[in-house]
Amino acid sequence: MARPLIFDAHLDLSMNALEWNRDLRWTVPEIRASEQGMTDRPDRGNGTVSFDAMRQGRVGVCVATQIARFVRRDSPIPGWHSQEQAWAQTQGQLAWYRAMEEAGEIVQIADATALERHLGRWAEAEAGSTSVAAPAPLPIGYILSLEGADSIVTLDRLERACAQGLRAVGPAHYGPGVYAQGTNAAGGIGENGRALLREMERLNMILDVTHLCDESFWESLDAFAGPVWASHNNCRALVPHGRQFSDEQLEALVARGAIVGVALDAWMLVPGWVRGASTPGNTGVSLEQVADHIDHICQLAGNALHAGIGSDLDGAFGTEQGPADVNTIADLQRLPALLARRGYSAGDIENVCSGNFLRFLRTAWT
Ligand SMILES: [Zn+2]
């Protein structure tokens, strides 16, 4: 089977560049080597993502985030002390994406025309890959998203962000948010959240329900009539925790035509992960569990049209908290064989790897 194109629905690329100081033009081994001896973060020296590794794995399209949280003065969760600071952080992240565009590493995809043009380039390169001359590296397509909407100081910023190419918004991240309540928090979306969703709907933005606590999840689904996806979210039936979706939530998403990207963060793949004690080795976490979560979504849906990949690789964790058989993001190409062994057809596998998210965008952007 030819290696399918992979659409990764969640990567914090700019966060890695600006907060981890990783130049993603380096190879993964080069980035790891540069972090030897650093102890400021648990994932130092364990990164898995670089542009080179993405190209090796045919991860030709991704959803790339802007991310910055606002927190009150006494919050135990880290974050910025004003929404304006959070806005400035996301604008800095955008400046990095623009710089990588100028360097020819990535290309922004913000409409259907750009999407088809980009897919055409990658298909052409794959078809011509047997030629003798080494082809110039292809730019990786990225769709800009916002993980947690706290940086939207006032709603008119959303229109500005839309003009910058922002196409998907997750109203909350971890903890309480300005517009919705996120993972480990509780409560609904309130008038702020409803106003945000109305504006997103007017701008035809995608609602990313990832990280919403249950109450905010259900209220958001009710209040929002536009396109909905879950960029990186696993199944509560397999790993009991509010960060994962219940079967009822997954079924509601399928009914809305959503795609759910399965994430590779180990604590979301296997139950009972203990930070600092559990390891890929002693838990046996591997891409098999990623396939389990994908399969659970497909079984609930009754087809393979609603599951995808939202790896979240290097989303504040590295190989110390990822599947044992994932050394770099290029190893996402091991998934097709695992799915094939479970009886998935070539067409189903292609849909899970990229087809479902691409179909979703083609529909959302017509
Ligand atoms: Zn996340």
Side-chain angles (χ1 to χ4, degrees):
M1 192 169 70
R3 296 184 322 147
L5 181 78
I6 289 181
F7 183 113
D8 191 332
H10 191 81
L11 288 172
D12 297 315
L13 298 178
S14 63
M15 183 188 86
N16 273 271
L18 298 184
E19 292 183 54
W20 270 248
N21 193 11
R22 289 173 172 166
D23 186 342
L24 299 185
R25 292 173 294 187
W26 299 6
T27 65
V28 167
E30 285 169 345
I31 295 170
R32 287 179 185 169
S34 76
E35 297 180 358
Q36 285 317 304
M38 293 176 74
T39 54
D40 59 325
R41 298 173 191 273
D43 59 327
R44 281 297 185 193
N46 300 338
T48 58
V49 178
S50 71
F51 294 139
D52 162 69
M54 289 178 77
R55 290 187 187 102
Q56 280 175 33
R58 289 204 81 213
V59 185
V61 192
C62 69
V63 180
T65 62
Q66 295 169 290
I67 178 167
R69 182 187 298 114
F70 161 71
V71 294
R72 298 189 190 286
R73 224 175 271 218
D74 51 356
S75 166
I77 304 172
W80 297 103
H81 287 143
S82 71
Q83 285 182 270
E84 287 82 353
Q85 286 168 282
W87 169 262
Q89 176 78 358
T90 63
Q91 291 303 296
Q93 291 165 346
L94 178 66
W96 179 79
Y97 287 122
R98 293 285 186 245
M100 289 301 100
E101 286 179 55
E102 283 175 41
E105 296 286 345
I106 61 176
V107 61
Q108 190 179 52
I109 296 175
D111 58 39
T113 312
L115 180 63
E116 300 308 337
R117 192 190 313 129
H118 181 72
L119 294 174
R121 272 183 91 173
W122 274 69
E124 216 172 276
E126 181 72 357
S129 63
T130 48
S131 74
V132 194
L138 282 175
I140 294 157
Y142 82 100
I143 294 138
L144 191 63
S145 76
L146 181 63
E147 185 169 26
D150 294 353
S151 59
I152 303 301
V153 181
T154 51
L155 282 186
D156 57 308
R157 305 276 172 130
L158 202 60
E159 188 161 352
R160 247 196 271 176
C162 187
Q164 295 170 340
L166 183 68
R167 291 296 176 267
V169 175
H173 188 224
Y174 277 89
V178 174
Y179 296 99
Q181 311 311 315
T183 304
N184 296 332
I189 60 174
E191 197 32 57
N192 274 349
R194 273 172 229 288
L196 177 84
L197 293 175
R198 274 196 299 275
E199 185 64 358
M200 283 170 57
E201 211 176 291
R202 188 180 73 79
L203 296 167
N204 192 34
M205 283 180 166
I206 297 156
L207 167 63
D208 186 349
V209 291
T210 303
H211 282 293
L212 292 175
C213 73
D214 288 2
E215 199 176 339
S216 285
F217 170 92
W218 291 112
E219 286 189 11
S220 297
L221 268 198
D222 275 351
F224 186 75
V228 177
W229 72 25
S231 62
H232 59 303
N233 226 110
N234 293 356
C235 309
R236 202 175 292 177
L238 303 179
V239 180
H241 186 282
R243 172 68 181 84
Q244 276 69 252
F245 284 146
S246 68
D247 287 357
E248 193 189 359
Q249 287 174 306
L250 291 168
E251 278 161 359
L253 289 173
V254 167
R256 282 288 288 261
I259 316 299
V260 180
V262 168
L264 269 63
D265 196 336
W267 86 265
M268 292 163 57
L269 290 170
V270 290
W273 183 274
V274 181
R275 272 174 224 272
S278 300
T279 66
N282 68 24
T283 57
V285 63
S286 74
L287 286 168
E288 287 292 354
Q289 282 84 38
V290 175
D292 289 344
H293 285 266
I294 289 171
D295 190 55
H296 188 80
I297 296 163
C298 295
Q299 298 302 334
L300 281 177
N303 56 49
L305 296 172
H306 297 276
I309 299 166
S311 79
D312 202 10
L313 286 170
D314 290 0
F317 66 96
T319 50
E320 80 292 345
Q321 195 175 303
D325 46 358
V326 173
N327 181 38
T328 77
I329 192 169
D331 291 313
L332 286 176
Q333 284 291 348
R334 294 173 186 272
L335 256 179
L338 301 188
L339 293 171
R341 214 175 304 145
R342 295 175 185 222
Y344 281 71
S345 71
D348 286 344
I349 292 168
E350 208 177 310
N351 278 336
V352 170
C353 286
S354 58
N356 290 335
F357 273 115
L358 294 174
R359 185 189 68 244
F360 177 99
L361 286 175
R362 285 176 174 128
T363 309
W365 288 349
T366 48

